[in-house]
């Protein structure tokens, strides 16, 4: 069994909890509280800004032009393409996308950002990929699961969001990162493999927590964090 197949098997409980979460189910059903959708976009915009910098870190840890090209292209993808599902959600929330940018991250999103940055600073590409992979992997599976279960038509409120993440381009991103993580894990020490599994599991848990953060409108307990 490959390393990433082990990861998927060991984290089936978290993947299933994500599929069953009321925010994700609401995307499929086409009905969610607008304030929860806006809360998600605010946090995800800042989260993706962090993801962009992590792709830059992955470039600095790469030895091959193939990897450098891949991570470079992913930066362009986030900047140029991943705004489309955000705009779909912003339209549903009734707020211009530009008005949902630049907000402080809620605690869960801030924790997720700090977790990935901490793992990436250890300097090993395999660990960086392990911390980042749950994001595209869970969204790939969410998109396909919602498309299979709900068969949304173009008039579905979240049709564009579901179609975007069900598209083969997301699967291709996930597949390349899985392949590279398998290769890195094969050469890694038992301790580094353990840390890769730990980083992956924590990111999966934080993906689930991110949906709950959005649905519950999570904020800092003593008021909003100061603007960055």
């Amino acid at each position: 069994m490959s390393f990433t197949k082990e990861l998927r098997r060991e984290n089936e409980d978290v993947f299933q909890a994500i599929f069953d979460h009321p925010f994700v189910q609401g995307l499929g059903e086409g009905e969610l509280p607008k304030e929860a959708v806006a809360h998600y976009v605010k946090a995800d915009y800042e989260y993706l800004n962090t993801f962009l910098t992590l792709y830059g870190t992955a470039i600095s840890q790469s030895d091959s032009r193939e990897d450098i090209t891949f991570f470079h292209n992913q930066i362009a993808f986030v900047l140029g393409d991943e705004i489309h599902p955000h705009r779909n959600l912003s339209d549903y929330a009734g707020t211009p996308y530009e008005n949902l940018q630049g907000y402080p991250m809620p605690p869960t999103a801030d924790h997720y950002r700090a977790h990935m940055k901490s793992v990436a600073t250890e300097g090993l590409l395999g660990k960086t990929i392990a911390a980042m992979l749950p994001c595209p992997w869970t969204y790939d599976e969410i998109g396909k699961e919602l498309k299979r279960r709900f068969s949304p038509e173009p008039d579905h409120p979240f049709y564009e969001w579901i179609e975007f993440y069900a598209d083969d381009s997301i699967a291709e991103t996930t597949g390349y990162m899985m392949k590279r993580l398998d290769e890195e894990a094969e050469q890694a020490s038992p301790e580094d493999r353990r840390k890769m599994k730990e980083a992956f599991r924590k990111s999966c848990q934080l993906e689930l927590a991110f949906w709950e953060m959005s649905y519950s409108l999570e904020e800092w307990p003593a008021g909003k964090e100061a603007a960055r």
Side-chain angles (χ1 to χ4, degrees):
M1 182 182 292
S2 71
F3 186 68
T4 52
K5 285 183 178 178
E6 283 183 42
L7 290 176
R8 183 61 181 82
R9 177 178 55 81
E10 292 170 359
N11 291 280
E12 167 63 21
D13 57 333
V14 189
F15 273 71
Q16 193 57 55
I18 289 172
F19 300 151
D20 293 339
H21 192 275
F23 195 115
V24 175
Q25 288 300 303
L27 287 168
E29 293 163 358
E31 186 172 353
L32 279 168
K34 291 186 176 182
E35 59 271 24
V37 173
H39 201 61
Y40 168 91
V41 174
K42 289 176 183 178
D44 202 49
Y45 178 82
E46 294 301 326
Y47 170 87
L48 288 178
N49 283 342
T50 298
F51 223 70
L52 290 168
T53 67
L54 289 167
Y55 278 133
T57 300
I59 288 173
S60 73
Q61 296 169 344
S62 298
D63 294 325
S64 74
R65 287 200 175 192
E66 182 182 13
D67 284 347
I68 291 169
T69 299
F70 171 79
F71 294 124
H72 172 268
N73 289 342
Q74 289 309 117
I75 292 173
F77 177 81
V78 173
L79 290 173
D81 294 88
E82 208 150 11
I83 62 172
H84 299 306
H86 273 181
R87 288 193 182 280
N88 180 197
L89 298 183
S90 300
D91 289 345
Y92 176 87
T95 305
Y97 180 39
E98 292 71 20
N99 291 357
L100 297 175
Q101 299 173 12
Y103 285 82
M105 286 180 127
T108 294
D110 191 59
H111 182 187
Y112 197 175
R113 170 174 61 183
H115 157 63
M116 291 190 296
K117 283 186 170 183
S118 175
V119 172
T121 58
E122 295 185 28
L124 290 181
L125 180 61
K127 292 180 185 178
T128 301
I129 294 175
M132 296 178 71
L133 180 55
C135 178
W137 195 344
T138 58
Y139 275 68
D140 174 42
E141 292 203 21
I142 289 168
K144 288 179 170 57
E145 174 68 12
L146 294 182
K147 187 171 183 178
R148 179 195 66 79
R149 180 173 177 185
F150 294 97
S151 301
E153 298 293 334
D155 62 348
H156 187 289
F158 303 117
Y159 176 81
E160 293 176 34
W161 193 97
I162 294 170
E163 285 293 314
F164 183 89
Y165 288 110
D167 189 77
D168 287 344
S169 63
I170 306 299
E172 290 168 5
T173 296
T174 303
Y176 186 88
M177 293 177 75
M178 289 170 65
K179 176 179 77 73
R180 289 297 293 115
L181 182 54
D182 283 335
E183 292 168 350
E184 292 295 314
E186 190 173 340
Q187 303 172 38
S189 68
E191 177 63 12
D192 282 337
R193 285 171 63 94
R194 184 192 67 78
K195 288 183 177 180
M196 289 176 192
K197 286 191 173 187
E198 185 179 84
F200 183 88
R201 174 78 178 181
K202 189 169 186 178
S203 289
C204 286
Q205 295 276 20
L206 287 165
E207 282 292 330
L208 173 59
F210 200 104
W211 293 112
E212 178 59 24
M213 170 204 76
S214 303
Y215 199 69
S216 65
L217 305 180
E218 179 192 89
E219 295 283 4
W220 292 90
K224 295 183 179 180
E225 183 189 24
R228 294 184 302 109

